[in-house]
Amino acid sequence: MDGGRHASVVHLSCGHPGCAAIHESIFMSLARLAALCLVLLSVSSLSASAQEDYPFTGEWNCDGAPFVFTSTVYSTGDDDFTIQEVQEGSDGSYTLFLTDEVYITLSEITDDTLSFSSSESNRTMSCRRY
């Protein structure tokens, strides 16, 4: 006995002439499945690496309001907005497009501070990293 653990072994040998073709078919199906798994793992790691961290990612206090930025979401605490596109300006600012008409601009970004402005208002907020 092996301590309660049993190994299952399937023997794929038989004397019938069709068995070789069946075994080859099973082997090829398993090989295709393994190749598909490797492709899916590669694609998954590529899409994860495509989501880069920007200097603005993290949790911020913007004039007393909690804001969170990831590479794909902007959150105000009450609402989450999907970031459709990120454009980096030549001055180091970032414009985050939430829709075709609504965007926010993050500028003067340091490790601890940034300025926030929205296309929906003329207000600029000063933000400090939590």
Side-chain angles (χ1 to χ4, degrees):
M1 256 312 160
D2 61 356
R5 294 175 19 198
H6 302 281
S8 296
V9 177
V10 176
H11 296 280
L12 297 176
S13 61
C14 73
H16 191 275
C19 284
I22 292 170
H23 295 165
E24 184 176 344
S25 175
I26 290 171
F27 175 77
M28 293 305 292
S29 294
L30 289 173
R32 279 189 217 111
L33 180 61
L36 178 62
C37 288
L38 288 173
V39 167
L40 290 175
L41 284 172
S42 297
V43 168
S44 172
S45 72
L46 283 176
S47 64
S49 65
Q51 294 181 359
E52 62 183 278
D53 282 334
Y54 295 100
F56 59 80
T57 58
E59 299 178 22
W60 299 86
N61 178 334
C62 297
D63 289 348
F67 286 12
V68 177
F69 297 99
T70 71
S71 59
T72 58
V73 175
Y74 153 59
S75 175
T76 62
D78 296 331
D79 296 308
D80 292 338
F81 303 94
T82 300
I83 298 170
Q84 304 294 324
E85 181 182 355
V86 177
Q87 290 183 358
E88 183 176 3
S90 59
D91 61 353
S93 65
Y94 288 86
T95 301
L96 315 180
F97 291 89
L98 309 178
T99 67
D100 287 340
E101 293 126 18
V102 178
Y103 59 89
I104 56 178
T105 300
L106 306 174
S107 59
E108 302 173 19
I109 302 169
T110 69
D111 288 341
D112 300 320
T113 62
L114 61 81
S115 293
F116 171 100
S117 61
S118 170
S119 63
E120 294 188 311
S121 71
N122 292 329
R123 183 174 174 212
T124 299
M125 291 188 278
S126 296
C127 304
R128 195 163 225 20
R129 194 181 293 273
Y130 281 112

